[in-house]
Amino acid sequence: MSSLHAFEKRLKESVESADKVIIVPHLYPDFDAIGSAIGLSVLVSSFNKDAYILVDDAKESINDKVLDVINSFYGNCKFINLEEYLQIKSNNDVLLVSDTNKKDMVCVSDYLTDFKDIFIIDHHKMDLNTINTDVDNIFVDDMYSSTCSIVSKFLIDFNVLFSSRVATYLYSGIVLDTNHFTKSVDPYTMSIVTKLLEMGADVEKVNNMFKRDNIQNLKIYKLVNKAKLIKYPLGFAGIAIDNDNCYTREDIAIAADSILDCMFQNDSDLSVINDVNASFVIAPVDSNNYRISARSNSSGIDVCKIMEYIGGGGSKHSAAALVPIDTADKVLKKLYTTLQNS
Ligand SMILES: [Mn+2]
């Protein structure tokens, strides 16, 4: 991976010699993926190039508030779907991948070889599924709290002026990936937040973007309530499994965050309260697949390693995997054994 400065230089040069730039956030885009894609489009526009953000997910599979951002976005860049991309593509386009580095997490995976250059901007660990590109075109650093903080840094470094609306979207990605400033909080992230607030990021608007309705809240609460405490060598993990109800990926992720925030009464001695340092939530997302969201804090296990072991990925304290229903039992066993052997 190249240094931040070298990467920025290379990105500018490549964009300036391209026909146009396609920006692709990960599938099932969240605020970090969309916010960073919008930030990148502002950067590309400052280089006087046309930018298109490519989102091809079915509307039903995108979070309502993320969809609001996509639908209400106006500016120099356009949101397009895969079909529209195929109509305008040329062999001198540059692709910017935001908030993922995995081939199977971008809708454009079948056309990667058609781009002049591919740049990856992300904060998840790389693995065998990482998109193949020049090593100097990769800026992937899991020390960053969010992709929005990386992209904000680019904008600041290039002295790009951006609107309060864009600052708001970038801020929303940081709020999401720090779970409202409760994890991955560091002076660097906060210095970026300071800058975004100075640029007019609207905290109340972002608070509203994160509001959940009471029905969703209750559903998540019931899932959290299923959590059972498991002792493992590094402490206690909270594991919630629901085989009967279908959830969104987001619900499962929020439940995993919530379990990590809980203290649990010990089953055998109710006077003992245990803190968990890892959480796992396992539930179906459709009729064929379970989703596992895993979280840990600094004294807990590296959940990325565990999720990689069962075919997923993420970062040290926040990771996930998709598990086909017919292998769910096996995967659970694997999860328990890995935890016990950690
Ligand atoms: Mn992210």
Side-chain angles (χ1 to χ4, degrees):
M1 190 184 82
S2 58
S3 74
L4 179 68
H5 182 71
F7 180 86
E8 288 174 335
K9 191 167 173 275
R10 206 176 156 96
L11 178 68
K12 182 172 194 275
E13 282 166 5
S14 179
V15 166
E16 283 179 336
S17 65
D19 281 350
K20 58 186 172 298
V21 177
I22 308 296
I23 301 161
V24 70
H26 59 71
L27 296 173
Y28 308 98
D30 57 20
F31 291 128
D32 193 36
I34 286 295
S36 57
I38 289 174
L40 285 170
S41 79
V42 173
L43 182 68
V44 169
S45 299
S46 80
F47 301 152
N48 293 314
K49 269 308 146 186
D50 290 336
Y52 298 85
I53 300 177
L54 176 51
V55 175
D56 198 53
D57 298 73
K59 289 206 166 30
E60 316 78 75
S61 60
I62 304 181
N63 166 298
D64 288 349
K65 301 288 173 62
V66 173
L67 203 58
D68 282 348
V69 173
I70 294 174
N71 288 334
S72 64
F73 187 73
Y74 55 91
N76 291 329
C77 123
K78 253 177 90 174
F79 276 88
I80 55 170
N81 61 26
L82 194 58
E83 197 185 321
E84 288 164 319
Y85 160 67
L86 293 175
Q87 282 161 15
I88 59 168
K89 78 194 267 277
S90 90
N91 56 8
N92 196 35
D93 294 337
V94 164
L95 179 69
L96 311 185
V97 179
S98 74
D99 202 33
T100 183
N101 59 70
K102 311 286 186 292
K103 197 176 170 188
D104 56 6
M105 280 299 285
V106 292
C107 65
V108 75
S109 57
D110 288 343
Y111 304 96
L112 294 175
T113 52
D114 299 348
F115 289 92
K116 164 177 99 89
D117 258 338
I118 298 176
F119 289 84
I120 305 174
I121 301 107
D122 185 28
H123 69 127
H124 299 97
K125 285 200 175 120
M126 298 201 289
D127 58 28
L128 292 172
N129 297 316
T130 295
I131 293 166
N132 193 17
T133 188
D134 192 317
V135 64
D136 292 330
N137 291 2
I138 297 174
F139 191 80
V140 177
D141 190 343
D142 67 342
M143 293 305 285
Y144 281 83
S145 60
S146 55
T147 306
C148 278
S149 61
I150 301 176
V151 172
S152 301
K153 174 76 176 141
F154 293 166
L155 291 168
I156 294 164
D157 288 352
F158 280 108
N159 278 316
V160 179
L161 283 175
F162 50 94
S163 66
S164 58
R165 218 164 34 91
V166 169
T168 301
Y169 297 146
L170 289 165
Y171 176 77
S172 73
I174 298 178
V175 172
L176 176 73
D177 279 11
T178 60
N179 190 22
H180 304 259
F181 303 106
T182 58
K183 65 181 186 192
S184 315
V185 178
D186 53 65
Y188 182 79
T189 301
M190 298 317 280
S191 72
I192 297 284
V193 168
T194 301
K195 184 73 189 170
L196 295 175
L197 293 174
E198 283 168 4
M199 297 295 283
D202 186 337
V203 173
E204 194 172 313
K205 186 173 176 184
V206 173
N207 290 344
N208 287 332
M209 285 156 76
F210 281 88
K211 275 188 182 165
R212 294 190 293 270
D213 66 51
N214 54 338
I215 296 166
Q216 189 191 8
N217 247 350
L218 185 62
K219 197 174 177 190
I220 294 170
Y221 177 75
K222 282 181 175 167
L223 183 54
V224 169
N225 214 25
K226 289 180 188 291
K228 294 267 177 290
L229 215 57
I230 303 283
K231 187 153 176 46
Y232 78 112
L234 297 179
F236 288 94
I239 304 187
I241 303 168
D242 187 345
N243 295 305
D244 306 321
N245 304 291
C246 210
Y247 296 83
T248 65
R249 291 162 175 247
E250 188 196 3
D251 290 346
I252 296 170
I254 296 170
D257 281 328
S258 305
I259 292 173
L260 195 61
D261 286 341
C262 286
M263 292 192 295
F264 289 82
Q265 222 163 20
N266 198 314
D267 277 345
S268 50
D269 180 355
L270 296 181
S271 67
V272 177
I273 304 288
N274 296 115
D275 256 332
V276 294
N277 60 20
S279 63
F280 299 86
V281 175
I282 301 139
V285 281
D286 54 49
S287 50
N288 301 314
N289 297 288
Y290 276 65
R291 173 93 172 163
I292 304 187
S293 264
R295 301 287 185 269
S296 63
N297 62 25
S298 56
S299 63
I301 194 168
D302 180 340
V303 288
C304 187
K305 274 194 190 145
I306 298 195
M307 291 300 106
E308 274 173 0
Y309 190 51
I310 56 178
S315 52
K316 199 172 172 191
H317 299 307
S318 176
L322 199 66
V323 179
I325 255 162
D326 50 337
T327 65
D329 281 347
K330 235 199 226 143
V331 165
L332 258 180
K333 268 191 202 125
K334 222 166 163 182
L335 172 66
Y336 284 114
T337 354
T338 320
L339 262 179
Q340 296 306 344
N341 294 331
S342 63

CSV table of all heavy atoms in Angstrom, one decimal, residues 26 30 32-33 99 122-124 145-148 173 176-177, ligand 1:
chain,number,residue,atom,x,y,z
A,26,HIS,N,-19.7,-0.2,-1.5
A,26,HIS,CA,-20.0,-1.6,-1.4
A,26,HIS,C,-21.5,-1.9,-1.5
A,26,HIS,O,-22.4,-1.0,-1.4
A,26,HIS,CB,-19.5,-2.2,-0.1
A,26,HIS,CG,-20.0,-1.6,1.2
A,26,HIS,ND1,-21.3,-1.8,1.6
A,26,HIS,CD2,-19.4,-0.8,2.1
A,26,HIS,CE1,-21.4,-1.1,2.8
A,26,HIS,NE2,-20.3,-0.5,3.1
A,30,ASP,N,-24.1,1.6,3.2
A,30,ASP,CA,-24.4,2.3,4.5
A,30,ASP,C,-24.0,3.7,4.4
A,30,ASP,O,-23.5,4.2,3.4
A,30,ASP,CB,-23.9,1.5,5.7
A,30,ASP,CG,-22.4,1.4,5.6
A,30,ASP,OD1,-21.7,2.2,4.9
A,30,ASP,OD2,-21.8,0.5,6.3
A,32,ASP,N,-21.4,5.1,5.7
A,32,ASP,CA,-20.0,5.3,5.4
A,32,ASP,C,-19.7,5.1,4.0
A,32,ASP,O,-18.9,5.9,3.4
A,32,ASP,CB,-19.2,4.3,6.3
A,32,ASP,CG,-17.7,4.7,6.3
A,32,ASP,OD1,-17.4,5.9,6.3
A,32,ASP,OD2,-16.8,3.8,6.3
A,33,ALA,N,-20.3,4.1,3.4
A,33,ALA,CA,-20.1,3.8,1.9
A,33,ALA,C,-20.6,5.0,1.1
A,33,ALA,O,-19.9,5.4,0.2
A,33,ALA,CB,-20.7,2.5,1.6
A,99,ASP,N,-15.1,2.0,0.7
A,99,ASP,CA,-15.6,1.3,1.9
A,99,ASP,C,-15.6,-0.2,1.8
A,99,ASP,O,-16.3,-0.9,2.6
A,99,ASP,CB,-16.9,1.9,2.4
A,99,ASP,CG,-17.2,1.6,3.9
A,99,ASP,OD1,-16.2,1.6,4.7
A,99,ASP,OD2,-18.3,1.4,4.3
A,122,ASP,N,-10.4,2.3,1.6
A,122,ASP,CA,-11.1,1.5,2.5
A,122,ASP,C,-10.4,1.4,3.9
A,122,ASP,O,-9.2,1.7,4.0
A,122,ASP,CB,-11.3,0.1,1.9
A,122,ASP,CG,-12.2,-0.8,2.7
A,122,ASP,OD1,-13.0,-0.3,3.5
A,122,ASP,OD2,-12.0,-2.0,2.6
A,123,HIS,N,-11.2,0.9,4.9
A,123,HIS,CA,-10.6,0.7,6.2
A,123,HIS,C,-10.9,-0.8,6.7
A,123,HIS,O,-10.9,-1.0,7.9
A,123,HIS,CB,-11.1,1.7,7.2
A,123,HIS,CG,-12.5,1.6,7.5
A,123,HIS,ND1,-13.0,1.6,8.8
A,123,HIS,CD2,-13.6,1.5,6.7
A,123,HIS,CE1,-14.3,1.5,8.8
A,123,HIS,NE2,-14.7,1.5,7.5
A,124,HIS,N,-11.1,-1.7,5.8
A,124,HIS,CA,-11.3,-3.1,6.2
A,124,HIS,C,-10.0,-3.9,5.8
A,124,HIS,O,-9.3,-3.5,4.9
A,124,HIS,CB,-12.5,-3.7,5.5
A,124,HIS,CG,-13.8,-3.0,5.9
A,124,HIS,ND1,-14.4,-2.1,5.1
A,124,HIS,CD2,-14.6,-3.1,7.0
A,124,HIS,CE1,-15.5,-1.6,5.6
A,124,HIS,NE2,-15.6,-2.2,6.8
A,145,SER,N,-11.0,5.1,11.4
A,145,SER,CA,-12.3,4.7,12.0
A,145,SER,C,-13.3,4.4,10.9
A,145,SER,O,-14.3,3.7,11.1
A,145,SER,CB,-12.8,5.8,12.9
A,145,SER,OG,-12.9,7.0,12.2
A,146,SER,N,-13.1,5.1,9.8
A,146,SER,CA,-14.2,5.0,8.7
A,146,SER,C,-13.6,5.4,7.4
A,146,SER,O,-12.5,6.1,7.4
A,146,SER,CB,-15.3,6.0,9.1
A,146,SER,OG,-14.7,7.3,9.3
A,147,THR,N,-14.3,5.0,6.3
A,147,THR,CA,-13.8,5.5,5.0
A,147,THR,C,-14.1,7.0,4.9
A,147,THR,O,-13.3,7.7,4.2
A,147,THR,CB,-14.4,4.7,3.9
A,147,THR,OG1,-14.2,3.3,4.1
A,147,THR,CG2,-13.9,5.1,2.5
A,148,CYS,N,-15.2,7.5,5.5
A,148,CYS,CA,-15.5,8.9,5.4
A,148,CYS,C,-14.3,9.8,6.0
A,148,CYS,O,-14.1,10.9,5.6
A,148,CYS,CB,-16.8,9.2,6.2
A,148,CYS,SG,-18.2,8.9,5.1
A,173,GLY,N,-21.1,9.0,8.2
A,173,GLY,CA,-20.3,7.8,8.0
A,173,GLY,C,-19.4,7.6,9.3
A,173,GLY,O,-19.2,6.4,9.7
A,176,LEU,N,-21.6,6.5,12.1
A,176,LEU,CA,-22.0,5.1,12.0
A,176,LEU,C,-20.8,4.1,12.4
A,176,LEU,O,-21.0,3.3,13.3
A,176,LEU,CB,-22.3,4.8,10.5
A,176,LEU,CG,-22.6,3.3,10.3
A,176,LEU,CD1,-24.0,2.9,10.9
A,176,LEU,CD2,-22.6,3.0,8.8
A,177,ASP,N,-19.7,4.4,11.9
A,177,ASP,CA,-18.6,3.4,12.1
A,177,ASP,C,-17.9,3.6,13.4
A,177,ASP,O,-17.1,2.7,13.8
A,177,ASP,CB,-17.5,3.5,10.9
A,177,ASP,CG,-18.0,2.7,9.7
A,177,ASP,OD1,-19.2,2.3,9.7
A,177,ASP,OD2,-17.2,2.5,8.8
B,1,MN,MN,-16.9,1.8,6.8
